[in-house]
Each structure stands twice: as structure tokens, then as C-alpha cells.
Amino acid sequence: MLYYDKRLQYPVKVDSPDPIFARMLQQAIGGIEGEIRVCMQYFFQGWGARGPTTKYRDMLLNTATEEVGHIEMLATAVALNLENAPTSLQEEGAADSVVGAVMGGGNPRHTIEGMLHRHVLSTGMAAYPANCDGLPFDMSHVYASGNLAADMYCNVAAEATGRVLAVRLFNAAHDAGMKDMLHFLIARDTMHQQQWLAVVEELGGYEGNLPIPNSFPQSKEHEKFNYNFFATTRDGSAPPAGRWTSGPSLDGKGEFTVVQNEPMGDVPNLGPARPDSGAQTQQM
């Protein structure tokens, strides 16, 4: 059960409304780096979490609920940035120097016009669950595998890309209130990256978790290949040397080596097409 407080998690103030920035904020709501993604990811990971302790489930659901508050903050920011946006795009929009300049662009996909049409006609100057191009978030980037370690690494990636986006928005913002809101969200992204990595460390770090799933015995792998870096160039150049080409593997269970990738199989032969396959007779 979730409980709602009418007050925002952190203050959201806009001194100079900017419909262009409102569109940019939509990416932080419904983009693949956005808050809907991490919110749903943590909810579904938590709802499906199994194990002898409930602390990881509880942690995930606490953070998922926090992310609902972030969506609310961003939706409020979008609405406030649309306060003075024109409802008649041909007249007020053209009269406004900033909006008019953007509307004069050649590709409607990258102009304020398409975004304002959507905000005016579909939402009444409010946010919507889509990215900055108006594409609805479709949950295809929500990862909940049922494997705790795998999910934690997915969460680190989600928070890392989210923080990259938030930093870009911070750098693009001109309004002091928007910078203040984003400097809070960036801080939370920092914590969440640390949080998910702390779970991996608590579970035993690289040695205790890799390779994922650690419940599958490596004796069933083709162990000749499990720590080889395959070099696939054929121009005689050396493969890129790095931590992954020599020395002990990160899980401490093998040694990195370099192998020139060569064909180990035969040329595939699929045989003739079936008579009922709709192929040409020359294929049968």
C-alpha cells in the first residue's frame, strides 16, 4: 500500500517559464533515461524479489516510491514552464521571439510547435508520459530479471544514464529554480548508484557474484573460452591491450588471455526449401 502526501518531495519553482525547456524535461520523465523507467524497474524488481530476507525487496520498494516523487516534481516543472506558452501557435507563438525562432525551423520533429500542439490539445499545458519527441514510454527498458545481482548492475546503468541526462539538463537550464531542482535530482542519482553497488558489495562483490548467475556451475561452461578476449581484426594490428587481456579475471576464477578469433564451425547448409514454403522452385 502506498500513501500520498500533497507536498512535493523537494521544492519546484520556475521564475521564467520556458516551453522549450519543458520539452527537454519530458525526456527526464518518459525517456529511456527517465524517472518512469527507474520507478517501474525498481517496483517490478521489488515485487518479484525472492530470498530468505525481505530487506532487498523493502529497499527496492522504498526507492521506487521515491522515484514516484521525482516524476511528480518533473511533471510539476513541465506545467510551470508552460505557464506563458502560447495557445494559438500561429499568432502568439510567432510574436514571441524565442518560440517564433524555434517554430521557424525546418523539421517539425525538432521544433517547439509539435510539442506545444501536444501540450495544448492533449494535456492542457501539462506533462505526459512520453519522451521529448512525444513517444510514449512503453516499458521496453524496464529490466527485472529475478536475479538480484543482475538487477543491481542494471540499476547502476539506469542511474548512470539518468544522471548524465540530469547533468545535461542542469547545464542547459537558465532558470535558478530549475537548476535548484536538478541539483537535488543529480544528488539522488549519485546516492542510488552507490546504493545498488553497495548491494553487490554486500553480496560478496565481484568474487561472490560473477559470473551471473553464480548458481550455474562453471564446470558446465566451455571453460576453454570463458576468460578469452577474442581479437577479430584481420589487418595484423594488435588487439587493444587492457585489464581485460591479461592477468586474473575480476571474479578471481581465471586468467584473461587473448585469442585470435578463427572459424570453429563449418559453412552452414540449410538444405532445400520446403514445397509449401512459398519459395521459388529453384530453391527446392
Side-chain angles (χ1 to χ4, degrees):
M1 179 180 290
L2 304 177
Y3 294 92
Y4 175 65
D5 190 313
K6 292 189 293 184
R7 296 167 294 183
L8 293 173
Q9 186 179 129
Y10 187 84
V12 176
K13 298 178 181 179
V14 177
D15 297 320
S16 302
D18 182 352
I20 300 175
F21 196 67
R23 178 178 181 173
M24 296 173 71
L25 288 173
Q26 282 291 156
Q27 191 69 16
I29 295 175
I32 60 173
E33 319 94 329
E35 300 289 350
I36 294 177
R37 184 264 180 95
V38 292
C39 177
M40 291 294 100
Q41 184 156 306
Y42 305 158
F43 268 133
F44 279 93
Q45 288 177 3
W47 289 328
R50 298 178 185 272
T53 175
T54 65
K55 71 175 183 177
Y56 299 118
R57 172 190 176 92
D58 295 343
M59 177 199 63
L60 283 160
L61 295 180
N62 271 273
T63 305
T65 308
E66 176 190 351
E67 300 291 5
V68 176
H70 295 175
I71 299 169
E72 182 181 32
M73 289 168 56
L74 288 163
T76 302
V78 168
L80 291 176
N81 273 288
L82 292 169
E83 290 286 271
N84 295 331
T87 56
S88 176
L89 297 174
Q90 298 299 324
E91 298 173 8
E92 292 92 334
D96 183 278
S97 59
V98 176
V99 177
V102 179
M103 285 175 61
N107 186 350
R109 179 181 174 86
H110 299 291
T111 66
I112 198 69
E113 182 177 3
M115 183 274 288
L116 282 179
H117 271 127
R118 190 171 296 106
H119 279 128
V120 170
L121 299 176
S122 299
T123 65
M125 297 300 188
Y128 47 85
N131 68 10
C132 62
D133 285 329
L135 298 174
F137 185 75
D138 64 2
M139 301 291 185
S140 62
H141 290 277
V142 169
Y143 304 124
S145 70
N147 180 293
L148 184 60
D151 285 348
M152 292 304 105
Y153 283 116
C154 287
N155 293 352
V156 172
E159 291 289 346
T161 53
R163 192 172 188 273
V164 168
L165 175 63
V167 167
R168 289 170 177 165
L169 288 168
F170 181 90
N171 292 336
H174 299 288
D175 183 85
M178 288 294 88
K179 281 190 174 290
D180 183 55
M181 176 192 75
L182 287 162
H183 98 302
F184 170 77
L185 293 176
I186 291 168
R188 298 310 300 154
D189 289 338
T190 298
M191 170 56 194
H192 293 157
Q193 289 181 36
Q194 295 291 303
Q195 178 178 329
W196 309 131
L197 288 171
V199 174
V200 174
E201 180 182 277
E202 188 172 275
L203 294 173
Y206 293 145
E207 294 83 357
N209 292 286
L210 298 178
I212 298 170
N214 61 5
S215 56
F216 185 84
Q218 285 195 266
S219 60
K220 294 185 178 180
E221 297 179 16
H222 200 323
E223 294 181 281
K224 178 180 177 181
F225 301 108
N226 54 10
Y227 295 104
N228 298 145
F229 176 80
F230 278 16
T232 56
T233 57
R234 300 294 290 176
D235 60 3
S237 60
R243 175 66 181 85
W244 57 90
T245 57
S246 64
S249 60
L250 296 177
D251 56 18
K253 301 170 184 175
E255 289 283 326
F256 290 130
T257 58
V258 177
V259 173
Q260 178 62 47
N261 197 14
E262 297 286 352
M264 289 178 277
D266 298 324
V267 176
N269 180 5
L270 303 184
R274 289 171 39 169
D276 59 353
S277 65
Q280 295 297 94
T281 55
Q282 296 92 326
Q283 297 175 260
M284 299 176 186

